[in-house]
Amino acid sequence: MNKIIISLLCRAFMAKGADTPAETQHYSGIIQQHIFKNYKVMFKPAKGVLKYPFITPGNSSYEDQLWDWDSWLTDIALRQILLENGSAEDKQQALKYEQGCILNFLNAINSGYIPVVISPKNKNIMDTDGTNFVQWEHNMHKPCLA
């Protein structure tokens, strides 16, 4: 699924209708159909400290983790799919997961720091032992939340 997301992101940045080889267009269509058919597996329900539903990039490694940039970039790809193939109902359903990503990060703010990743059990899974982790030295800026 990770390769599919990357391929879709690359396609999202290409101009629609641009002159591309027929084979690229063929596989792009296959990828789009697959993602549209399966994108809802990236929608995760609220769980533990993640009080709102959220989006994961679709990889089993991210099964229940909310990552800052990864979820944002996944949402860009998701919105492209919904723009091209989604119904009004599909777009409305995605909205609560998009909003949930932001609300979960805002809920996890600690001393002005927004974590990179949140799991249901921990608002900041990067701080596993609490000893050597200096939170404001790690990925402090979150333009993806703006």
Side-chain angles (χ1 to χ4, degrees), residues 63-77:
E63 191 63 34
D64 62 356
Q65 298 172 345
L66 175 59
W67 288 78
D68 52 7
W69 287 90
D70 304 62
S71 294
W72 176 67
L73 289 169
T74 298
D75 189 43
I76 290 172

Side-chain angles (χ1 to χ4, degrees), residues 3 31 76 85 96 99 114 119 143:
K3 289 181 182 178
I31 291 167
I76 290 172
N85 297 309
K96 72 178 180 179
Q99 290 171 336
I114 300 173
S119 77

Side-chain angles (χ1 to χ4, degrees), residues 17-87:
D19 293 329
T20 58
E23 186 176 22
T24 301
Q25 289 180 341
H26 169 74
Y27 288 114
S28 177
I30 291 171
I31 291 167
Q32 280 185 309
Q33 289 172 8
H34 177 77
I35 291 176
F36 184 71
K37 181 180 173 188
N38 297 294
Y39 74 88
K40 290 184 181 181
V41 300
M42 296 185 294
F43 291 169
K44 303 299 180 182
K47 182 179 180 183
V49 301
L50 292 161
K51 297 179 188 283
Y52 304 93
F54 60 100
I55 298 170
T56 64
N59 183 320
S60 62
S61 298
Y62 293 91
E63 191 63 34
D64 62 356
Q65 298 172 345
L66 175 59
W67 288 78
D68 52 7
W69 287 90
D70 304 62
S71 294
W72 176 67
L73 289 169
T74 298
D75 189 43
I76 290 172
L78 172 63
R79 277 293 157 180
Q80 183 66 35
I81 287 293
L82 293 176
L83 177 69
E84 294 178 11
N85 297 309
S87 67

